[in-house]
Amino acid sequence: MTKVFLCKETTKDETRIALVPSDVKSLAAMGYEIAVESGAAQNIGYTDGDYAAAGAKIVSTLNEGYDFAEIIVRINKPDSVAGIKENTLHISSFDVFNEKASVHEFANAKISTISLEMMPRTTLAQKMDIQSSQASLAGYYAIILAASKLPKIFPMMMTPSGTISPAKVFIIGVGVAGLQAIATAKRLGARVEAFDTRPVVEEQVKSLGAKFVKIDLGEMGQTEQGYAKELTPEQIELQRNAQAKVCAQSDIVVTTAKVFGRKAPLLLTKDMIQQMKPGSIIIDMAVKTGGNVEGSDPEKEVFLDNGVSIIGGDSLERFIPKDASNMFSGNVFALLEHFWDAENKKFCLNTEDEIIQGCLITADGKILRAL
Ligand code: NAD
């Protein structure tokens, strides 16, 4: 029997929950004992009664849950480790490269930490990969958001009153979020173009019916984990120049270009944005990691004098919290299921396992990887 505590989220603007009742029910059936903080998922329609019916006990305070827990599960790491017992396993997203002080705090408090965004990008770990599940929904929502703000429609329409040309959408960075953004924009009838520095992406873009913008930047490629390699300043300059014309002709530009563990490249400068049409919308989905767009702000939409607006599109999955929670929960469930020792009826933190080696950040008072 391993005791899992599901916390209510306290991070500003967080709308999701890390485990939904259906997964709690499956975990309880497996042998996990689960406690849920009261009111944890009320905002998305899962009541305490739903969790209780799934087999969880409801606790009214955070500290009650901390006292109960061998494993704590939540979407975001807390600001403080106060109240968490030694040897507890804490599972959440962590943003370890930007939260180094927090990593030290967890290690010093002898709390073991699984950082879900460090999940290896392997076939086996795919079902535990929150980056993929959340980015996919965020890519979808970026287009829905842009469409709702654009002063024109997406599809071409031929009517007796005239012909409406389709909206032009340009996606920069075609990983998980970018692919879903392309698919959504195509479904709505837009004309879509896309670019990514990883050459393997061209086929994927074409298979979705979009046009791949060819830009020769010399040596590009990807890492073993499938992430983009960092470009040189000269390559970024080349990319900006080559993209400027496509941006100027686009109604919507969505940027998702990230380089794992590093600052995102600045791909749209003020000069480039000045050339864009009034009413155009830019969504910078890399805004939190440095930003692809000059002037983007994670906190607010920025309206420029030339009629273009820039939306800092961080964590857009939070606007669709029910599906985002269901998928996040599916990832957490897969992790807890994978490491369930059915014979001894407990969670087994197998430090030899390549999944654990990828995402276990602290254990036994130590930090396990270079940050
Ligand atoms: P990401 O969020 O790190 O980056 C988003 C995209 O930006 C990537 O496609 C990247 O190539 C691109 N990019 C970086 N710099 C750029 C630039 N200067 N210009 C244009 N584009 C730029 O990446 P991601 O979405 O997390 O996924 C990257 C890859 O990993 C994808 O191929 C995906 O299929 C793969 N993946 C594999 C697994 C798995 O096997 N378990 C899981 C998830 C993703």
Side-chain angles (χ1 to χ4, degrees):
M1 188 76 80
T2 298
K3 294 175 174 176
V4 175
F5 171 48
L6 172 68
C7 305
K8 195 168 171 173
E9 296 298 319
T10 50
T11 305
K12 181 175 164 277
D13 297 333
E14 187 54 77
T15 52
R16 297 165 294 166
I17 189 74
L19 275 174
V20 298
S22 57
D23 288 326
V24 165
K25 189 173 179 189
S26 306
L27 291 170
M30 213 182 288
Y32 281 100
E33 199 179 330
I34 298 167
V36 176
E37 192 173 354
S38 180
Q42 203 118 19
N43 65 311
I44 52 171
Y46 295 132
T47 63
D48 287 354
D50 294 331
Y51 281 103
K57 81 166 184 170
I58 308 300
V59 297
S60 44
T61 65
L62 185 66
N63 281 335
E64 208 183 320
Y66 280 170
D67 285 345
F68 164 89
E70 293 165 87
I71 298 179
I72 294 171
V73 176
R74 45 160 57 110
I75 301 266
N76 304 290
K77 70 153 192 71
D79 289 337
S80 152
V81 296
I84 304 179
K85 293 178 301 191
E86 275 189 15
N87 298 321
T88 304
L89 172 64
H90 191 277
I91 302 176
S92 71
S93 57
F94 207 103
D95 193 11
V96 289
F97 295 113
N98 295 312
E99 296 287 349
K100 291 184 184 134
S102 229
V103 175
H104 281 277
E105 208 191 334
F106 272 71
N108 293 340
K110 297 200 171 55
I111 301 162
S112 300
T113 317
I114 285 182
S115 172
L116 288 169
E117 76 273 11
M118 301 300 281
M119 195 57 67
R121 288 195 129 192
T122 59
T123 308
L124 187 62
Q126 207 158 13
K127 58 186 179 196
M128 308 170 205
D129 184 357
I130 60 155
Q131 298 238 76
S132 293
S133 71
Q134 304 302 294
S136 179
L137 290 171
Y140 157 85
Y141 192 76
I143 294 299
I144 301 299
L145 180 62
S148 72
K149 296 199 173 252
L150 195 70
K152 69 182 260 79
I153 62 167
F154 265 45
M156 185 172 101
M157 247 187 225
M158 292 167 94
T159 75
S161 340
T163 298
I164 300 174
S165 60
K168 289 184 184 158
V169 176
F170 183 31
I171 312 288
I172 305 174
V174 189
V176 180
L179 278 175
Q180 198 53 245
I182 294 174
T184 307
K186 283 297 295 180
R187 268 183 230 128
L188 289 175
R191 191 178 296 162
V192 185
E193 296 183 80
F195 173 70
D196 195 293
T197 52
R198 292 179 300 116
V200 294
V201 167
E202 181 171 353
E203 272 316 304
Q204 298 167 5
V205 169
K206 286 182 180 162
S207 73
L208 288 170
K211 183 179 165 200
F212 189 76
V213 175
K214 285 211 179 265
I215 305 176
D216 183 5
L217 300 177
E219 175 68 25
M220 297 185 283
Q222 62 183 41
T223 66
E224 268 179 25
Q225 292 266 314
Y227 290 115
K229 288 189 178 156
E230 195 172 22
L231 298 183
T232 63
E234 294 75 26
Q235 284 176 307
I236 290 180
E237 190 56 35
L238 266 178
Q239 181 180 350
R240 285 181 194 149
N241 292 336
Q243 279 175 182
K245 198 169 154 208
V246 188
C247 291
Q249 290 167 348
S250 299
D251 299 296
I252 291 171
V253 179
V254 177
T255 72
T256 79
K258 294 181 191 160
V259 181
F260 188 71
R262 290 174 196 273
K263 198 168 174 288
L266 180 64
L267 301 176
L268 256 78
T269 61
K270 278 205 172 113
D271 286 349
M272 292 166 74
I273 299 167
Q274 276 308 321
Q275 308 308 315
M276 291 178 65
K277 295 180 285 188
S280 302
I281 313 275
I282 304 170
I283 299 199
D284 182 358
M285 294 183 69
V287 65
K288 213 47 189 291
T289 53
N292 294 142
V293 182
E294 194 169 1
S296 65
D297 186 324
E299 301 295 330
K300 62 177 195 293
E301 184 169 352
V302 178
F303 298 93
L304 303 177
D305 290 344
N306 68 341
V308 174
S309 78
I310 309 172
I311 299 171
D314 177 52
S315 302
L316 291 177
E317 64 277 12
R318 287 179 180 172
F319 289 94
I320 30 178
K322 192 143 194 175
D323 283 329
S325 301
N326 288 339
M327 290 176 81
F328 196 107
S329 174
N331 299 139
V332 172
F333 171 78
L335 177 75
L336 294 175
E337 183 189 40
H338 187 81
F339 292 103
W340 180 249
D341 176 348
E343 206 173 310
N344 296 305
K345 288 252 165 220
K346 63 181 176 78
F347 178 88
C348 173
L349 190 70
N350 176 6
T351 49
E352 299 299 308
D353 188 289
E354 64 169 28
I355 294 173
I356 292 295
Q357 285 183 349
C359 64
L360 187 68
I361 304 302
T362 66
D364 302 325
K366 295 192 200 78
I367 297 175
L368 303 179
R369 57 181 299 154
L371 299 174

